[in-house]
Amino acid sequence: MPVRSLRKVSRGQNGVAGFMLQCLKMDFHYCDWAGSSRGMNAFLAPNLPPPSAVSPGTLSSTPALLPSQHPSSTPSPSSRNAPSIHAFASLHPSISITISPRPTLHPIIRATYANGRQKVVCVRNMTPREIQQKAELVAWNSGEKNRRTKKPVRSANESVRGVWAPYFGKVGRDGRGDVMAGR
């Protein structure tokens, strides 16, 4: 009797052949005037246009300046190690990053994911380091809604016998399990 193989189409799973970030696009919104945007302005400092170039009617048409064109293009020694949008963008080349002003509103980070969902994180009154941590958190997120975990282990193939524990098994002479038999 010849051996027949089962015909089954393989399912693609993220992480099996190669990992692809689910975050496709990130928008960084800031305000030049509000004090709650200080951290975001420091995080985006090399890309921000001078305040005179931004007006409420030209939100999307304002071009970002190159670091060499910015008025304060010589970084101070303390800001060389500070987190910046350039470092974040170089770590995540697959994510499209846009920067745009949002006058008189708190700064936000808006992420768009492969499943079509968007997540918005308000970063008001945060330091550049905290903003970078939030951006990393949003970038590595899957875009799914947060759900309560009922079981500690989530698997496609549930175990019939349950999760192993050392307290079950053979019963010792005193009526307790193996582990307790020596006491």
Side-chain angles (χ1 to χ4, degrees), residues 14-15 18-24 94 114 140:
N14 201 3
F19 183 75
M20 185 178 98
L21 278 177
Q22 296 298 300
C23 183
L24 302 176
S94 63
W140 284 94

Side-chain angles (χ1 to χ4, degrees), residues 167-172 176-179 181:
Y167 303 109
F168 305 118
K170 299 177 186 174
V171 178
R176 293 186 277 176
D178 284 339
V179 177

